[in-house]
């Protein structure tokens, strides 16, 4: 038969375990996404804009080279390809933030904020969404 001291210690142990589990759940569900957003949001916004800009510059340079293939346009195309490194950095940070628990929707909202923050004119906003 179990004595009261053993049952008391068992209940204390279960309460401590439940408290740690609750803290773990809190950190996973609320703490980590909040931490990731507060730590990485500004850098993520910069990379969203840089990658978007680099992809646009690369597309323009590639089309220009296809229309008029010459040494100058080839150098411009190669230079624009170097700019695409920002897209790798963006993708790496995006995956990191997803692991920390931010949702695709949250990242999309941050990305839209980044583009809107850097756009001064409605015509430029329309150009960004044209391809």
């Amino acid at each position: 038969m179990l004595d009261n001291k053993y049952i008391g210690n068992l209940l204390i142990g279960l309460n401590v375990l439940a408290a740690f589990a609750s803290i773990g759940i809190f950190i996973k569900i609320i703490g980590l996404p909040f931490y990731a957003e507060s730590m990485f949001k500004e850098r993520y916004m910069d990379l969203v804009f840089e990658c978007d800009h680099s992809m646009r510059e690369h597309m323009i340079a590639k089309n220009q080279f296809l229309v008029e293939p010459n040494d100058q346009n080839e150098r411009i195309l190669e230079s624009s390809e170097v700019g695409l490194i920002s897209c790798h950095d963006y993708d790496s940070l995006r995956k990191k933030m997803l692991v920390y628990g931010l949702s695709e929707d949250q990242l999309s909202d941050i990305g839209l904020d980044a583009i809107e923050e850097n756009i001064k004119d409605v015509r430029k906003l329309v150009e960004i969404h044209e391809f």
Side-chain angles (χ1 to χ4, degrees):
M1 189 166 217
L2 301 174
D3 65 9
N4 288 340
K5 184 177 180 182
Y6 177 79
I7 292 173
N9 287 338
L10 181 63
L11 289 175
I12 289 172
L14 288 173
N15 284 332
V16 168
L17 184 62
F20 279 117
S22 298
I23 291 169
I25 290 169
F26 173 80
I27 289 172
K28 176 72 176 159
I29 294 174
I30 296 171
L32 285 178
F34 179 78
Y35 166 79
E37 185 170 350
S38 65
M39 290 299 297
F40 305 120
K41 181 178 179 177
E42 291 301 317
R43 178 68 180 140
Y44 183 76
M45 289 177 75
D46 291 342
L47 288 172
V48 165
F49 188 75
E50 288 173 23
C51 178
D52 181 70
H53 180 74
S54 295
M55 286 190 301
R56 183 171 300 97
E57 292 296 316
H58 181 260
M59 182 188 71
I60 292 167
K62 186 176 181 179
N63 288 336
Q64 184 63 35
F65 181 74
L66 290 172
V67 170
E68 193 176 337
N70 59 43
D71 289 343
Q72 180 182 357
N73 286 340
E74 184 177 17
R75 283 192 301 276
I76 292 170
L77 176 59
E78 289 171 353
S79 176
S80 73
E81 289 169 351
V82 172
L84 293 174
I85 291 172
S86 64
C87 294
H88 171 74
D89 295 341
Y90 154 79
D91 190 47
S92 295
L93 184 56
R94 180 179 182 80
K95 288 175 183 167
K96 184 177 192 174
M97 292 173 79
L98 286 168
V99 167
Y100 276 107
L102 270 81
S103 70
E104 291 281 348
D105 290 339
Q106 288 171 304
L107 293 175
S108 294
D109 285 344
I110 294 170
L112 285 173
D113 289 346
I115 291 170
E116 290 170 1
E117 185 176 285
N118 287 290
I119 299 301
K120 307 294 185 233
D121 166 321
V122 173
R123 278 176 265 142
K124 285 189 178 184
L125 183 62
V126 171
E127 287 173 21
I128 280 189
H129 296 287
E130 284 182 333
F131 274 109

